[in-house]
Amino acid sequence: MAKVLDEASSRAVAEAVRYYRELGIYDLYRRDVPADAAWLQAIAREELAVPVNEVVAAPTEPVDAPTDPAILAAVLADKPTALKVIREDIGDCQRCRLGATRTNLVFGVGDPQARIMFVGEGPGADEDAQGEPFVGRAGQLLNKMINAMGLRREQVYIANVVKCRPPQNRTPERDECDTCGGFLMRQLSVVRPQVVVALGATAAKYLLGTSDSMANLRGRVYEFHPVLPHAAPERDAEFTTSLVVTYHPAYLLRDPRQKKEAWADLQLVMKHLGMPLPARGAGASPEA
Ligand code: URA
């Protein structure tokens, strides 16, 4: 039997539809919503600036308008639900050509409260098969890198620029990164790590919006401001974090001589966070 929504809920649905249309998404499907999420209820209570019958109109707010502070605070108070909602927003994604060839979409894994978030390029064969980032050989090395920092994999958050495996593990195309990247920015804006570690050139160039070489990008701490899709509930004009670039673990497997450089990058992250550094010669570097 059809369910009639109350006025506040139907306004919230209208707002959501408007948001999806802005993203160019017209096909919507029904999903179970965690009805007890305080921030979803807050959105439902919001007085919208535009009447419901104008929901298909072009956005009227300035593009960088932040979310209402009360909604943002509620989103950040329930990060697991906020990440779940992003995953559900991605859905059974066919927004780019990678959707046609993937087995599993690889969203992200780890602690929603993590201080450090690692961002890779895109899933490989193992990740595509298992639906989790960095579970293959490169993932084993990433785990060692994380362990060398005195952390466990479960204590960080790990995601990729694109969530579906590019065929033959090719580098994702620019348009694929752009299509998927908004979801990564939303993940970043929910987790709010103190440092983002860009693993390899694709992640570094995408996040920093540059085509500079790895040699030039490594070795410093950048200020990073995620650019979010319009009206994402995580939107916050004030949110900036730090970003460090290092080599991709797959590259380190091909050229292990660079591990020393990667370890220096991770030590930069640790220093930035005030984490204890291993004593010289203590041998904590991530040997494979
Ligand atoms: N390489 C990546 O960039 N990401 C993964 O998840 C696995 C390998």
Side-chain angles (χ1 to χ4, degrees):
M1 199 173 78
K3 207 162 139 185
V4 179
L5 294 178
D6 61 39
E7 203 185 324
S9 300
S10 65
R11 277 206 305 265
V13 170
E15 167 75 341
V17 170
R18 185 165 68 98
Y19 167 47
Y20 287 119
R21 291 217 161 123
E22 286 162 20
L23 293 175
I25 300 163
Y26 297 93
D27 297 329
L28 301 174
Y29 62 96
R30 197 172 158 275
R31 67 168 190 230
D32 291 330
V33 178
D36 57 343
W39 58 278
L40 284 174
Q41 290 165 9
I43 288 175
R45 284 196 304 273
E46 270 295 279
E47 286 302 319
L48 297 182
V50 284
V52 171
N53 62 5
E54 287 179 23
V55 292
V56 294
T60 50
E61 303 97 317
V63 177
D64 61 351
T67 302
D68 179 297
I71 291 175
L72 181 61
V75 168
L76 298 180
D78 189 358
K79 293 184 179 192
T81 297
L83 288 170
K84 199 166 156 228
V85 167
I86 297 170
R87 174 64 190 94
E88 290 177 351
D89 285 349
I90 297 175
D92 181 18
C93 186
Q94 297 294 333
R95 293 173 182 81
C96 83
R97 62 188 84 78
L98 300 182
T101 51
R102 69 150 189 265
T103 306
N104 285 299
L105 192 142
V106 179
F107 179 67
V109 73
D111 182 359
Q113 314 280 353
R115 294 171 79 197
I116 305 175
M117 179 158 163
F118 290 88
V119 178
E121 176 177 303
D126 294 310
E127 292 74 20
D128 181 57
Q130 296 182 42
E132 182 171 328
F134 284 99
V135 290
R137 278 189 72 218
Q140 300 309 312
L141 180 54
L142 178 61
N143 290 348
K144 286 182 179 162
M145 293 160 75
I146 294 166
N147 294 158
M149 299 172 80
L151 296 168
R152 284 175 288 108
R153 179 177 167 98
E154 304 73 45
Q155 291 176 294
V156 302
Y157 195 87
I158 306 171
N160 284 305
V161 175
V162 297
K163 313 256 179 269
C164 298
R165 181 193 182 197
Q168 281 81 49
N169 295 346
R170 65 161 169 76
T171 304
E173 306 281 353
R174 180 75 219 184
D175 65 310
E176 294 160 353
C177 294
D178 287 341
T179 303
C180 212
F183 295 109
L184 172 66
M185 297 295 183
R186 292 184 63 192
Q187 287 172 290
L188 280 160
S189 298
V190 167
V191 176
R192 299 196 175 218
Q194 285 167 261
V195 181
V196 179
V197 180
L199 297 167
T202 301
K205 291 177 182 182
Y206 178 73
L207 291 169
L208 293 172
T210 176
S211 54
D212 216 344
S213 68
M214 281 295 281
N216 285 339
L217 293 172
R218 289 185 45 250
R220 60 194 126 129
V221 180
Y222 297 85
E223 188 170 285
F224 173 66
H225 178 70
V227 179
L228 282 141
H230 177 68
E234 310 79 14
R235 230 188 141 77
D236 178 0
E238 305 296 320
F239 173 56
T240 57
T241 183
S242 300
L243 187 148
V244 168
V245 174
T246 193
Y247 292 121
H248 193 288
Y251 172 74
L252 296 175
L253 289 172
R254 290 194 299 274
D255 187 357
R257 288 168 306 172
Q258 304 302 329
K259 281 187 191 167
K260 221 166 62 182
E261 300 294 325
W263 180 228
D265 298 331
L266 299 181
Q267 287 184 293
L268 185 62
V269 172
M270 294 165 75
K271 213 166 139 198
H272 188 69
L273 291 174
M275 292 166 65
L277 295 175
R280 257 178 199 279
S285 70
E287 289 308 319

